[in-house]
Amino acid sequence: MTLRSVDLRKEPVEAVLDRVERSLGVRLDHETVVRKRRSVGARTDRGSWVRVERRGLDRIGVQGGDGTASAEALRGIAKPSWLAGVAWRDETEPVMWRADETELLPGAPVGSAVVAEDPLLPEEWWAALNASLDALAAQHTNRIATPDTETLTQELVTETVHSVFPGVDTAVGEWRPAHADFNWANMTAPVFCVFDWEDWGMAPCGLDAASLWGASLAVPALADRVRSERRDDLQSRDGKLMTLFVAAKILGPYADPDDPRLGVARETAERVVKELRTG
């Protein structure tokens, strides 16, 4: 059976939310519902948050789609605690639904995934981001990251980078745990907290830093701040590869000609390609 492409911002989800309420024993506040392309979230009557995700069975892989629950084992990272979860297979499509209940966030998301203006974050925020990313990279897991729900392999890195930058040596040297969906919609301010851990797992060093850089390119000063804060990651060979990996997604065949990030992404990528070829 072919998996139907679905945008949960447009699909009816009432029956799914009813099942979540029954399974977790909560009442969802429907006035607080947030709908995204592949997830729906809402506040509960017991002061927690529930996020519901739809994921094709072919995108579960070896890790079972339990990213938020398994991330509870991580230490030293500013993130909401996981409280409970439930998963089931859709009755009519090759799809898994999963709902996870977590603590409420300490603040609102910084912005949309890609920001158009500087969020003017305090110094403590950057310090907490650095501490959390450093702590994450120092831990161990058998999970494999799934950015955009695709299992991150050497082959995927090569295919993505070469689609825009052919001829670059894409051999990854070091794999470390990464959040793998590290953008401005998945972290809070003014208190730093990172959430939505569905895709975390092992990834080339620098993936999260490169992802946040790519999400900041419409605000050059912010992109420069990300590169400065995570310079050790991004100046490593693997970090340069991840810069190209992210840039290729911005500049590739599905690029939006009106995307304000195009110019800076292309300029940075061209410099990184030269560095990799002469390094």
Side-chain angles (χ1 to χ4, degrees):
M1 181 184 297
T2 302
L3 180 61
R4 183 172 57 102
S5 178
V6 164
D7 185 337
L8 294 183
R9 292 169 295 190
K10 304 172 183 178
E11 288 281 313
V13 294
E14 289 74 19
V16 171
L17 296 183
D18 287 346
R19 180 164 183 166
V20 169
E21 288 184 320
R22 294 195 306 272
S23 298
L24 294 179
V26 299
R27 296 289 295 276
L28 300 177
D29 181 350
H30 288 257
E31 293 185 0
T32 66
V33 168
V34 175
R35 297 176 67 142
K36 298 183 180 180
R37 181 173 54 85
R38 61 184 175 98
S39 70
V40 180
R43 189 168 180 150
T44 77
D45 61 343
R46 56 184 176 220
S48 58
W49 184 264
V50 168
R51 179 184 185 275
V52 187
E53 182 189 10
R54 177 189 188 272
R55 185 172 293 215
L57 297 180
D58 62 325
R59 294 300 178 97
I60 293 174
V62 297
Q63 50 199 52
D66 63 344
T68 298
S70 63
E72 188 61 19
L74 298 172
R75 294 292 176 260
I77 299 164
K79 61 179 181 60
S81 293
W82 177 78
L83 304 174
V86 60
W88 69 94
R89 178 172 176 154
D90 193 274
E91 294 178 359
T92 60
E93 298 183 273
V95 166
M96 182 189 81
W97 292 92
R98 181 173 177 98
D100 287 288
E101 182 183 7
T102 64
E103 291 180 331
L104 288 177
L105 300 174
V110 174
S112 56
V114 175
V115 294
E117 58 184 43
D118 196 324
L120 301 175
L121 300 161
E123 292 302 315
E124 314 87 75
W125 189 94
W126 290 103
L129 174 141
N130 285 326
S132 289
L133 284 185
D134 290 346
L136 176 59
Q139 297 179 61
H140 304 279
T141 182
N142 291 325
R143 293 177 58 86
I144 302 171
T146 55
D148 298 321
T149 72
E150 290 190 274
T151 300
L152 188 51
T153 61
Q154 175 65 70
E155 291 72 23
L156 181 63
V157 171
T158 299
E159 177 185 335
T160 303
V161 172
H162 282 178
S163 69
V164 181
F165 311 106
V168 172
D169 179 2
T170 59
V172 174
E174 185 175 5
W175 296 71
R176 294 181 179 177
H179 178 275
D181 194 16
F182 207 67
N183 62 61
W184 297 108
N186 287 339
M187 53 191 78
T188 62
V191 176
F192 174 80
C193 177
V194 58
F195 56 99
D196 280 7
W197 286 82
E198 286 70 24
D199 295 311
W200 83 277
M202 298 297 284
C205 177
L207 173 65
D208 286 341
S211 297
L212 192 60
W213 165 78
S216 309
L217 287 176
V219 186
L222 182 62
D224 288 345
R225 180 67 187 266
V226 171
R227 291 192 68 82
S228 175
E229 292 291 337
R230 303 306 301 171
R231 56 187 172 275
D232 289 347
D233 285 347
L234 293 174
Q235 285 305 309
S236 69
R237 187 181 182 284
D238 290 325
K240 291 176 181 179
L241 277 180
M242 289 300 94
T243 298
L244 295 184
F245 181 76
V246 170
K249 293 187 177 186
I250 298 172
L251 300 168
Y254 302 106
D256 178 354
D258 297 323
D259 189 338
R261 302 176 297 163
L262 293 178
V264 183
R266 185 175 295 108
E267 178 183 338
T268 303
E270 288 173 354
R271 186 184 72 246
V272 169
V273 167
K274 290 180 182 178
E275 291 173 356
L276 286 171
R277 286 178 173 163
T278 60

